[in-house]
Structure formats: C-alpha cells, structure tokens
Amino acid sequence: MSVYLDHAATTPIFDVAVKAMTDALTKIGNPSSLHTEGRSTRKDVEDARDLVAKAVGCLASEVIFTGSGTEADNAAIKGLFWKSGKKIIVISAIEHHAVLDPARWLVEHEGAELIEIPVTKSGVLDLDYLKGLVTKRGSEIALISVMHSNNETGVIQPIAEVVKIAGSIPVHTDAVQSFTKTPLSYKELGVTSMALSAHKVGGPHGIGALILQRAYEIPALLHGGGQEREIRSGTLNAPAIVAFAAAAASKIYEASKVQELRERFEAGLLSSAPSAYINGVDAKRLPGISNVTFPGTQSDSLLLLMDSMKVSCSTGAACSAGVHRPSHVLLAMGHDEVSAQSSLRFSLGANSTQADVDFALSVLPTVIERGRAANQK
Amino acid sequence: MKIIAAMSGGVDSAVAAARAVEAGHEVIGVHLALASNPQKYRSGARGCCTIEDSHDARRAADKIGIPFYIWDMAEEFHEGVVENFLGEYAAGRTPNPCLRCNEKIKFAAVLDRAKAMGFDGVVTGHYARTQIGPMGKTLHRAVDPLKDQSYVLAVLTTEQINGAIFPLGDTEKVDIRIEAEARGLAVAQKPDSHDICFVPSGDNAGWLRDRLGSEVGPIVDNAGNKIGEHKGAYTYTIGQRKGLGLTIPTADGSPRFVLKIEPVTNTVVVGAREELAVSKLIGEKTIWCGPAVDEKPQRGFAQVRAHGAALDCTYYFSGTQLVAELDKPLLGIANGQALVIYDADRVVGSATICESA
C-alpha cells in the first residue's frame, strides 16, 4: 500500500478533467481563429470560462487564464503596483513565494517598499496591525495582498475584513489552496484580484487564472496577440482550460468527508505522539491540511522515513537546491528555527480514504522514533 | 542491507550506487549539501556542491532507479572541515580537509544519521577496498594506484569501516567511466574534481588571505637574519621555493625553500634544500583502522600525501604518538599533514604530524 498525503502540493487529476482534456487535445482550431474550427475551440474556451466564473463567483469577463497560479500572482502584484504609481506593497508575513518573491523583486528593481503584516500564533493575520498601517500610510499603499488560506497550515484568512480596512486600496488574494475546498466567492469578498490554479483542484498542471475586476486595466507581463483582455497574451491553452473548468465545476471534492478524515488523522496522531502539536489548530482551517510539529526531530529525516514506508507528505518549504529551510510561515507564527524544521505537512484530497489515514498512522510511531534517534546524532 | 549512497553528482559515486543496487542492497541516494550558499553552476573541476552537481546526482539516481534526497550538512561541514582548515593554517600547519570530511561528515554525521534511521551503512565512490579476515573488516588500497584514496580514508575507525561500502576499489578509473557509459549515466565523462571543494576559485592562498588576513611579516634565514618580507604567513607551504620574492641571494647562489612557518611571530623561515630533509615523523591524534599498534617496531610503509609515494619505514606507537622512521629522508614535511601507515596494502592507521626530524 502506498498513501499520498500531499494533495496541497498537487492532487490527482479528476477523470472528468482527463476526458475533457484528451477530447480537446485531438481537436483542431486556434481559439483566436475566425473560421469554423477556431470558433468551435473558442466556444469550448468560453464555456469553460463560464464554468470557472460560476465556481468562483465572478463574471466570465473577469476570468483571465494564465499558465499557473504563480503567473496569476505575479501579474497581479506587479500589475497593481505599476498601475498605482505608489510605493508601498503590503503583504502578510505568510504569503506563498509566488507573492513574496515578486514583491521582493519590486523592492529590488522598482524601488518598492515592502511591509509585512504579522500573524498571530494561530497563523491568522493581525487585522489591528493592518488597520494601524492603513490609517497611518494608506495614501502611499499601492496594494495589499493576503492569501485566502495558507498553503502550509491551511489557516483561513479574514479577507473580507482586509477589504473593508483597505477601503480604496486594491486587494489581491492568492486563493490557490482555498478554491473548491472552502466557500469562496470573488464577488462577496470584494477583492480586486484573485489567483487560482487548476492542478490543486483536480485539473491539469500548467493552467491557472487571474480573476480581475471587469474593466480594471493593469499593465501586462506578456505582450503579444492581445488575448485575455491584453493582460495575458499567448494562444489560449484550450485543452488545459476545458479540463480546469471540468474539475472546478465537478463538486467531486467533499469538504465534510475530507474534514472527517483529517480529524481522524489528527486524533490518532496526537494519541500516538503526545508531544506533537498541530499548527493553527485554534484557527479556522481548510478541511484537508494538517501541519504538525514533532519536537526533537528534523523534518527531512521524517520525510525520508515516511517515504520509505510509502507515505508521501511534505516538509513545507524547500529552496532551489532542494535543501530544507525553516518555513517562513512557521517562523511568523512564533516558531524558532529548530521547531520550524521539525514540522511536516500532511494534506488530504478528494480521493483520500480512511484506509490511507490509518496506514499513515500505523507507520508514524516508527518514523518518529527513528527520526528522534537520527536527530540526536 | 539497507544503505545510503552518498552521491556527489560525479561519476564515481554514481557507479558505486549502481553497483550496490546490483549487489542486492536496498539503496537510497543522498546528496550532501555542504555549502551554505551553493553556486548555481560548476566551474572547472572544482567542488561537488553546486546546484548543478546536485541535479547530476538526482539524474544518476533516476537512472539507477533509487529514491533520492538532499541532506543539508552545511553547518556540520563548516564546523568540522572549513573551520578546522582555517584553524590549522592559523596555527601554522598544513591540513588535508578531505580527511576531515571523511572523519567528521561522510562516515560520522552521515553514517550515524543513517544508522539511527534504520540503515546499515553508507556506500561511497571512494577508490579503496575492504576485506574481511582474522582482523575483522580492514581497509586496503584500491587496485588503481593512480586513484587510490585509502590515504584520505585512513581516519576511519573499525566501527566506521564496518559501516562503509566501497564498491570501486577493485576497478581502474578508466573502466569506471566505460561502465558509467554502458549504464547510461550522463556523468560518465564529467571531469574529476580536484583541489579543495570549498575554495571555488581554486586560489587557496587568496582564500586564506581573505579569511586570515594578510599581515606582512619577515622572511628570515635559519640564523634569524631578515632577508625579505612575506604577504601573510598562512599562504606559504613548507618546501615552497617559488614566489618568495627574495632579492638577497645566498652566498653560493643556491635556492631557498620555506622551512618553517611561525604563526605567533608571523615569520617565515627559509633555508637550503638539505635542511628540509627529515627521516623521523611523529604524529598525534592517532586513529587505528584495525588492531592497534604497540611500541614494538614493525616494518611497513608511510605515506604523507594523498597521492604520495609509499615510503619504506619502521613504525611504532609510543603510547601517545605514532612514530615512523623512514629508510630514506624525505623533503618538505609540514606539521598538520596526515601520516598514514600501511602494512603491505592494508591501512594500519593514521596520525596528524606534529613533529619531524
């Protein structure tokens, strides 16, 4: 038996998405072409756009397909910054690198000033801090970016409140982890822009979406054929787009079922490893993510041991060399470097079963024991 | 057995891992990240710690069909190897960091961690052999005299040797490359790494100067007369002749060589070639790679450099020091070099030279 508990990294593609994609792969026609084949593919893309828009609660015209969630984040952060003519970028201290790194790049290359909003020990954005900042320096702020839920801990962030505090300041939210897992409505949140990714929701890799208010123009990253409101040029990736839409509209992911499994997992884990603790446990979390600290261990040892026992999980952040580094998310939640490197992320998905959870629980005691022994060397 | 294959990204460790798999072991590939700020790309024949090298190791593991991970040993490497290297130079000695790496990292930190995690040992691409006989598992020279690395492994204790597998010791390097090619390993023709892996520029003297300073000091002859100035005592090695910048010639016009480096007074002592000759080597911090030696003199071979000659000698252990009396005098021995004793091709043990006469 092998058990996959890394659905937050990527989750298996749904059958409906495979079918939609393979059907589209053999179809001819560039969606931008004017002839019969082109119009037919264009129709597939626009139907898909309708489905994605419906699933995320926005207008079809607000959906801009991109090559990934990272691209959507980059387009938003850079685009909103350049459009504003202002200097300050405000982000949460726990953003994904897809937001953090373009923001840092703007500091280095475009003279931006970056302000990070701290989070509580539970991993929730400090709204009072944000309020104080907006009161003091609101007129200088180009944009505020706060993720809808955190990819490492699953902790859901108070985006509606952020929007309220922001007033007229544009707000971007990276909703890559939240989409289809927890109620998410672009319209109700009132954000300016939102990033989505297909492969986290049962769609294929290499396709994402930037949701951006209708008639809200931002400078483009990619220039070319003028597709996608001239914000994202490039031939529309019709097979990936229709597969993304098929997955997003499928309702295959059952949040209550996944949450029950997560609860079973965490209860079992805490009873077999009493010193372990769950990060963000006091906060509202996504149903499928469990971020656990195992004191006295090193997460890369634990991961190797879990892997050798056929359970796949994650250590969170890895740098380009593949070397494990302490997670900036856990550090922001008050961990020190040692405890931040003693943590694993387990994430369940639509096809996770009770047998998966029980198998993972069955190997944990050996893994923790050996992980502790290795750490003492 | 369940073993960890330490994979540098080079051809040797890749073939070693493949051979271990073929021998029936359950093998997991591990690349050691030893630099805290790794370079993206390899430059020349130096190092094994770039991101490109780690990628090469990963692709070799893919080809062999084994799991692959990266272990961050940068902190351990810095403390155990780099700082030791600097400390030794600062004290006027000439260390060999490869021995320290084997002693502190590959067969200590890695082996210990592997054992704690339920593995039985570590396989590496070192050119050396092990044999099991009446003395237990012993360490021996590789069959390829040009590649033999038993010298840099002479810091392993019996327990560490018991946990080590060296599948390449019975093969010549040229055949390892052919084998790598036949196995479809992309690193088959990757150049060998030379020099000191943590000095990416290859400029050891400059690297030392940057870290230890370059305080100008006197160059003196054996009588204590100042005959020149040096640019940082650390950057000279015993036996060095070139680059001394001496303008006052000797009476007979014969060249001068570095005889001694005195870090406390920041002095470099030079003299005639004959004065470099020593025939007695005394080492401390002795490590036995098999049964310990006693004070009874025995015949064997001494080696003082990684690819140096095997020198006929009589050796014994005084109780605190390992002593080798050479049949023929040797030139240019620096304190800090490792003295390795061989009984035929078996590695008896090693010590760090602290005195020679």
Side-chain angles (χ1 to χ4, degrees), chain A residues 75-256:
Chain A
I77 301 298
K78 292 173 184 163
L80 294 174
F81 175 79
W82 285 324
K83 182 185 173 77
S84 74
K86 294 177 183 173
K87 218 179 133 185
I88 299 176
I89 299 174
V90 177
I91 66 173
S92 80
I94 56 169
E95 290 303 299
H96 189 277
H97 279 284
V99 166
L100 184 56
D101 288 22
R104 286 183 179 159
W105 184 88
L106 289 169
V107 171
E108 239 171 80
H109 298 273
E110 306 274 314
E113 181 187 344
L114 182 60
I115 297 177
E116 293 187 16
I117 307 297
V119 296
T120 64
K121 278 200 177 258
S122 300
V124 184
L125 190 81
D126 184 341
L127 287 169
D128 290 335
Y129 191 102
L130 178 66
K131 232 178 267 172
L133 181 70
V134 170
T135 307
K136 229 165 101 189
R137 303 187 69 181
S139 63
E140 301 167 72
I141 298 174
L143 72 134
I144 298 170
S145 183
V146 178
M147 65 206 320
H148 191 270
S149 61
N150 182 265
N151 54 302
E152 292 185 36
T153 61
V155 171
I156 295 171
Q157 303 301 321
I159 302 302
E161 285 83 347
V162 170
V163 171
K164 231 179 269 165
I165 293 167
S168 61
I169 303 167
V171 176
H172 172 70
T173 189
D174 176 335
V176 164
Q177 290 295 340
S178 288
F179 189 35
T180 76
K181 317 284 166 48
T182 190
L184 178 73
S185 166
Y186 174 78
K187 190 177 168 202
E188 280 173 28
L189 284 174
V191 292
T192 311
S193 61
M194 176 185 274
L196 304 176
S197 169
H199 74 103
K200 311 281 194 192
V201 302
H205 294 262
I207 188 77
L210 171 67
I211 313 298
L212 178 69
Q213 277 174 18
R214 195 192 142 267
Y216 195 98
E217 300 297 326
I218 57 170
L221 296 184
L222 301 185
H223 301 91
Q227 292 90 341
E228 302 300 87
R229 291 163 54 181
E230 296 192 353
I231 287 170
R232 207 285 185 177
S233 285
T235 300
L236 286 160
N237 185 354
I241 288 169
V242 298
F244 180 14
S250 70
K251 300 202 171 17
I252 289 170
Y253 185 93
E254 288 177 64
S256 59

Side-chain angles (χ1 to χ4, degrees), chain B residues 28 36 128 130 144 191 223 284 293 309 356:
Chain B
I28 285 182
S36 33
T130 55
D144 184 341
E284 58 189 5
V293 165
S356 54

Side-chain angles (χ1 to χ4, degrees), chain B:
Chain B
M1 291 202 294
K2 277 180 72 176
I3 50 180
I4 295 283
M7 301 179 76
S8 65
V11 58
D12 297 328
S13 55
V15 172
R19 285 186 170 190
V21 170
E22 263 174 22
H25 300 301
E26 185 186 333
V27 181
I28 285 182
V30 167
H31 176 77
L32 304 178
L34 301 177
S36 33
N37 289 306
Q39 312 268 321
K40 267 193 189 165
Y41 305 104
R42 198 169 42 245
S43 59
R46 262 163 230 113
C48 50
C49 306
T50 66
I51 292 170
E52 196 174 19
D53 289 303
S54 122
H55 176 78
D56 288 345
R58 178 187 300 277
R59 295 298 291 148
D62 289 344
K63 190 79 198 173
I64 298 162
I66 55 173
F68 177 79
Y69 306 92
I70 295 169
W71 282 4
D72 182 4
M73 293 267 170
E75 212 173 293
E76 290 90 337
F77 186 77
H78 189 81
E79 278 169 24
V81 181
V82 181
E83 281 183 356
N84 172 277
F85 182 78
L86 283 169
E88 288 291 285
Y89 267 105
R93 293 188 285 263
T94 303
N96 183 326
C98 299
L99 276 93
R100 293 289 88 77
C101 181
N102 287 326
E103 180 189 5
K104 310 259 188 201
I105 308 295
K106 290 189 184 133
F107 300 94
V110 175
L111 183 60
D112 288 348
R113 190 172 177 190
K115 282 185 173 170
M117 289 170 76
F119 292 89
D120 302 300
V122 169
V123 58
T124 70
H126 283 110
Y127 285 79
R129 287 176 303 132
T130 55
Q131 280 176 16
I132 295 175
M135 284 186 270
K137 192 172 173 187
T138 47
L139 180 66
H140 298 260
R141 287 193 190 275
V143 297
D144 184 341
L146 293 175
K147 284 303 296 182
D148 173 44
Q149 289 174 306
S150 58
Y151 177 84
V152 292
L153 293 168
V155 286
L156 305 190
T157 62
T158 302
E159 199 195 333
Q160 290 170 320
I161 293 167
N162 283 336
I165 300 173
F166 305 122
L168 305 191
D170 64 353
T171 313
E172 300 207 358
K173 173 79 182 212
V174 55
D175 294 322
I176 293 296
R177 288 205 183 273
I178 293 166
E179 181 176 331
E181 199 80 67
R183 290 180 184 276
L185 294 166
V187 289
Q189 297 308 328
K190 187 170 167 175
D192 285 1
S193 56
H194 297 294
D195 302 336
I196 294 169
C197 70
F198 52 83
V199 183
S201 64
D203 174 15
N204 290 354
W207 191 88
L208 286 167
R209 248 199 314 271
D210 287 348
R211 282 154 186 81
L212 296 174
S214 55
E215 204 192 326
V216 173
I219 297 180
V220 301
D221 64 19
N222 238 345
N225 304 313
K226 185 179 165 183
I227 51 172
E229 263 191 353
H230 66 71
K231 308 180 205 82
Y234 315 112
T235 57
Y236 295 82
T237 48
I238 306 291
Q240 180 177 339
R241 174 187 168 186
K242 287 180 183 160
L244 298 177
L246 297 176
T247 48
I248 305 168
T250 49
D252 60 357
S254 61
R256 293 192 186 92
F257 298 81
V258 174
L259 300 182
K260 232 190 288 181
I261 296 155
E262 293 171 348
V264 179
T265 56
N266 193 29
T267 303
V268 172
V269 184
V270 296
R273 183 183 170 88
E274 309 80 70
E275 294 174 82
L276 280 172
V278 295
S279 50
K280 185 174 181 181
L281 304 174
I282 301 173
E284 58 189 5
K285 297 180 194 153
T286 307
I287 295 167
W288 304 118
C289 306
V293 165
D294 57 20
E295 62 278 3
K296 192 171 104 283
Q298 298 184 59
R299 293 291 296 165
F301 301 96
Q303 187 173 325
V304 293
R305 288 187 190 90
H307 296 286
L311 312 162
D312 288 292
C313 75
T314 300
Y315 65 90
Y316 58 90
F317 186 60
S318 72
T320 53
Q321 291 174 322
L322 180 63
V323 181
E325 285 166 0
L326 306 174
D327 291 3
K328 280 186 208 152
L330 189 63
L331 297 181
I333 294 301
N335 286 346
Q337 280 181 244
L339 164 65
V340 175
I341 300 292
Y342 290 85
D343 172 12
D345 72 353
R346 181 179 71 84
V347 182
V348 173
S350 70
T352 305
I353 296 173
C354 58
E355 206 183 321
S356 54

